[in-house]
Amino acid sequence: IAKHPEIKALMKPDNNLIWVVVLMVLAQLVAFYLVKDLDWKWVIFWAYVFGSCISHSMTLAIHEISHNSAFGNNKAMWNRWFGIFANFPLGVPYSVSFKRYHMDHHRYLGGDGIDVDIPTNFEGWFFCTRFRKFTWIVLQPLFYAIRPLCINPKPITRLEVINLLAQLSFDVVIYYLWGVKSVCYMLAGSVLGLGLHPISGHFIAEHYMFLKGHETYSYYGPLNLLTFNVGYHNEHHDFPNIPGKSLPLVKKIAAEYYDNLPQYNSWIKVLYDFVMDDTISPYSRMKRQLKGEVKQD
């Protein structure tokens, strides 16, 4: 900031995010209608080819919303309600809980017992062979769902209850209107999109230490177009209050800080290397013992 004060001008909400999210929700509603009478093989096919991309992209839209990028910090609750709306096509309640835990990830990156992005000791111990690491990638949605309950369970809030009830109501309406195939397409898209999928490479690319001493990495490949530039991850952790749309400008403005850092151009290669490199496992994360007062959402 001292060297590049113009970066401060990028610290403002991205109103285009609102319209992109609305269009994504509408696209999935159209897809729910179109798959309702298909054979089951085509329901699963389209869930992986199309639905999974929308679902994973929507989780990253929710990531943006968790940073108040849609309406700004002065309208924090608008962002929470909008996150619940963006959650609908995923089929399972996610938005409110994600926001609570994700803020911990930014404040206490790698904090033992706080940052639930860190795999458990069991994950590191068991998923250590190539086949088991491949299985771990497939099951990533399961581990991301249960890990917070094991590492850092939090009291349920009113907003989380609202998120749950709103999501169940949406699911029931979809089932009533278009039947079980539409519901299965919705849920399968979320599970498949967050598991063995090219976009899922970002889970590993962001913080797994392929190079010792480097715990955060950026990705500058084309899938950033579908993921709200979450690949610009060093930039994001430096400036979490700058929307993903503007992170390429951060890199351009402060190129001397980012250009020489280790970086990726393929998330598929990240997944392949994670499985095939016997020196990398879920243990390959920086873990810190936190000192002093810890404040959580």
Side-chain angles (χ1 to χ4, degrees), residues 40-57 59 90 137-142 184-201 203 271:
W40 278 106
K41 62 181 179 181
W42 291 112
V43 173
I44 302 303
F45 172 83
W46 287 113
Y48 187 79
V49 171
F50 181 76
S52 63
C53 296
I54 296 291
S55 292
H56 201 136
S57 183
T59 66
L90 299 179
I137 290 173
V138 173
L139 297 177
Q140 274 192 110
L142 174 65
C184 287
Y185 165 88
M186 173 170 55
L187 296 174
S190 296
V191 172
L192 295 172
L194 297 171
L196 187 62
H197 194 281
I199 298 178
S200 291
F203 289 133
L271 291 172

Side-chain angles (χ1 to χ4, degrees), residues 15-32 50 54-55 57-58 61 65 82 85-86 89 185 228:
N15 297 131
N16 289 332
L17 175 63
I18 300 168
W19 305 112
V20 172
V21 167
V22 170
L23 289 175
M24 290 169 68
V25 171
L26 292 176
Q28 279 293 69
L29 288 174
V30 172
F32 295 160
F50 181 76
I54 296 291
S55 292
S57 183
M58 189 63 87
I65 296 165
F82 191 58
F85 168 77
Y185 165 88
F228 302 91

Side-chain angles (χ1 to χ4, degrees), residues 41-279:
K41 62 181 179 181
W42 291 112
V43 173
I44 302 303
F45 172 83
W46 287 113
Y48 187 79
V49 171
F50 181 76
S52 63
C53 296
I54 296 291
S55 292
H56 201 136
S57 183
M58 189 63 87
T59 66
L60 294 168
I62 290 172
H63 167 255
E64 287 283 290
I65 296 165
S66 76
H67 286 282
N68 295 335
S69 292
F71 296 98
N73 293 322
N74 61 336
K75 295 181 178 178
M77 280 306 299
W78 287 35
N79 289 281
R80 302 291 79 74
W81 295 121
F82 191 58
I84 292 173
F85 168 77
N87 198 149
F88 285 154
L90 299 179
V92 293
Y94 166 81
S95 176
V96 176
S97 296
F98 172 80
K99 193 267 181 187
R100 298 180 72 198
Y101 283 103
H102 188 64
M103 295 305 103
D104 295 340
H105 171 68
H106 275 273
R107 292 191 190 109
Y108 309 108
L109 179 63
D112 189 18
I114 301 297
D115 184 1
V116 299
D117 196 56
I118 299 288
T120 61
N121 289 330
F122 169 78
E123 290 171 76
W125 168 76
F126 184 78
F127 296 100
C128 55
T129 67
R130 292 179 180 181
F131 176 75
R132 290 179 184 181
K133 287 191 288 183
F134 176 83
T135 304
W136 183 77
I137 290 173
V138 173
L139 297 177
Q140 274 192 110
L142 174 65
F143 289 111
Y144 271 95
I146 65 175
R147 194 183 293 149
L149 304 178
C150 299
I151 294 179
N152 186 19
K154 296 183 178 186
I156 296 175
T157 66
R158 171 177 165 269
L159 264 183
E160 284 175 306
V161 173
I162 293 172
N163 193 177
L164 171 64
L165 294 177
Q167 188 63 56
L168 290 176
S169 299
F170 178 83
D171 295 349
V172 168
V173 169
I174 295 301
Y175 175 77
Y176 177 79
L177 291 176
W178 298 317
V180 68
K181 289 182 179 178
S182 295
V183 174
C184 287
Y185 165 88
M186 173 170 55
L187 296 174
S190 296
V191 172
L192 295 172
L194 297 171
L196 187 62
H197 194 281
I199 298 178
S200 291
H202 82 86
F203 289 133
I204 294 169
E206 290 167 358
H207 296 296
Y208 283 78
M209 290 197 296
F210 283 81
L211 294 175
K212 300 301 181 184
H214 294 275
E215 63 173 307
T216 304
Y217 302 77
S218 288
Y219 156 83
Y220 299 123
L223 289 178
N224 278 307
L225 295 172
L226 298 177
T227 58
F228 302 91
N229 288 326
V230 75
Y232 288 76
H233 217 66
N234 278 299
E235 296 85 346
H236 172 60
H237 273 269
D238 286 346
F239 301 101
N241 56 340
I242 293 180
K245 179 188 74 172
S246 298
L247 292 178
L249 288 175
V250 172
K251 181 180 183 296
K252 183 178 180 180
I253 291 170
E256 69 272 26
Y257 291 99
Y258 299 110
D259 284 354
N260 294 322
L261 294 177
Q263 57 191 248
Y264 301 115
N265 291 301
S266 171
W267 278 334
I268 295 176
K269 188 176 188 301
V270 168
L271 291 172
Y272 177 84
D273 289 345
F274 178 81
V275 171
M276 301 305 292
D277 188 337
D278 294 333
T279 67

